[in-house]
Amino acid sequence: MDDNAERLKSLKFKEPVIDVAFSPTADLVASSLITGHIFIHRYSLAGNQRQHRLKPHRKSCRSLCFSGDGLSLYTASKDKSWQSLDIATGTELTRIEEAHDKAINVVKYVNEQIIATGDESGGVKLWDIRQNKPAFTFKEHVDYISDMVFHSEKRHLLAASGDGCLSVYDVRKSKPFHVSENQDDELLSVAIMRGGKKVVVGETDGVLGIFTYGQFDDVTDRFPGHPQSIDSICKLTEDLCVTGSSDGLLRIVQLFPHKLVGVAGDHKSLPVEKVVLSYDQQWLASCSHDHTVHFWDIGYIFNEDASDDNEDEDAEGGEQLDVQAMAIQVSKGVAVDIDNDEPEIDIDGLSDGSELRARSDPEASVDGDGSSDEDGGGDADDDEAEVDVVDSDADSDDANSLDSSDEQPAKPTTTSVKEEPSNTNAGNDEDASGSDGWGSWGDSDDDEGSAKRQKPKETKADKQKAKRAALAELAKPDGKKRAASASFFADL
């Protein structure tokens, strides 16, 4: 199967992407940039199409979210304002200037009447959308609000803060429902799991803290395992979530029992700012400091009930495991053999495709043929401080996709079992038996005959089982304690 044909192209921008959100009703994804720009794209396997390019804020747009019906988009900025946009036309519906005394970090849609905002000083406000004014204001924290989540059944808003506390608010009341004890570490992300019975928070030291709902004084369980901070948590099922960490990996984590299941994606050691799930549960989108929104196929998680005897699904699952193993090995510095697995990229704002290649691999050779797309100028009404982030007038993202073959490392040479090695490098410590960490995941073509004589033939089910076991072992952290990175908000 052609892996690139089954994967959404990434979206490339000229400046860092701070937040990303999927529409709850359509194949739309919104991205916010450090320049204050908002981009809305319609994504598909045939190619991504830009719907809107807007600049609603003077400073960086730190957070965005869709309304429940998918018709509006809410954005919040460092300039202390929040606003709502009409998705169909891109026009401004509501704008509140000086909404907070400090820069706003998070905006969260609660219901058709209320949205919530949290600022970098710890303030939380619940806004009455009908009257465009705050209904309740809370000052329970002394440090920035990092993330918020809404429990629709309880009608509770939960907010994680850099001061190490989790606060819970009943959106119908003016006083907080509960504020937890200090967890002695910054809380960076929060999610509700296990049918609303558990609340999971990500901490800077790489620990998942778990609260039992209603018992918010202190965590009832802790799950260490991430080598660096957990900056984002995306719920998949009631027992599975995806974590975005400062080491660049998107890890699939199971709770009760707690274990690392695998890796969904890799940003190559760059901190992950946000990871979200599409409305049809087919794609993950994540953004990092690489100026890119990447898409990862996660649909196989929700299709585990399919028959193991289906050979097509077995092959697809094997390829997915290979991608996960590759991501883990890249993050650990192990040399891997990449065979045209790089996702294609749609470029928003790059006038020359060779610029992207130069950023990703300065030593790689650049092909100077017609692959570069000379772009027209930016909008004339933007201010001078704005970075020109535009597509070409042709408005075709396919023309901006890059060939990932320039970034492929050379395959390690292998030797036959019967013959003396004649072309193997003298300094190569890896033998043909798989000592590079891949074990028996697959022999080279040269060793195919000898492998058949040395071991019995494995079925596809056996290989799948072996891959999953090896992947679980490979996903375990190396145990090295690394310094937690500072909040990305401090640099904006």
Side-chain angles (χ1 to χ4, degrees), residues 324-357:
Q324 293 179 8
M326 185 190 307
I328 301 173
Q329 291 200 355
V330 169
S331 69
K332 293 187 176 184
V334 179
V336 297
D337 179 19
I338 303 177
D339 198 9
N340 288 325
D341 281 340
E342 279 296 317
E344 296 183 55
I345 296 177
D346 282 346
I347 306 177
D348 254 313
L350 288 182
S351 60
D352 191 344
S354 62
E355 181 180 348
L356 178 60
R357 294 191 182 96

Side-chain angles (χ1 to χ4, degrees), residues 113-126:
Q113 301 175 356
I114 300 174
I115 68 163
T117 54
D119 63 36
E120 63 181 16
S121 66
V124 174
K125 289 187 177 183
L126 297 177

Side-chain angles (χ1 to χ4, degrees), residues 225-244:
H226 293 70
Q228 297 186 30
S229 61
I230 304 172
D231 301 319
S232 182
I233 302 176
C234 175
K235 177 181 176 180
L236 296 181
T237 67
E238 296 301 334
D239 301 318
L240 291 177
C241 64
V242 173
T243 60

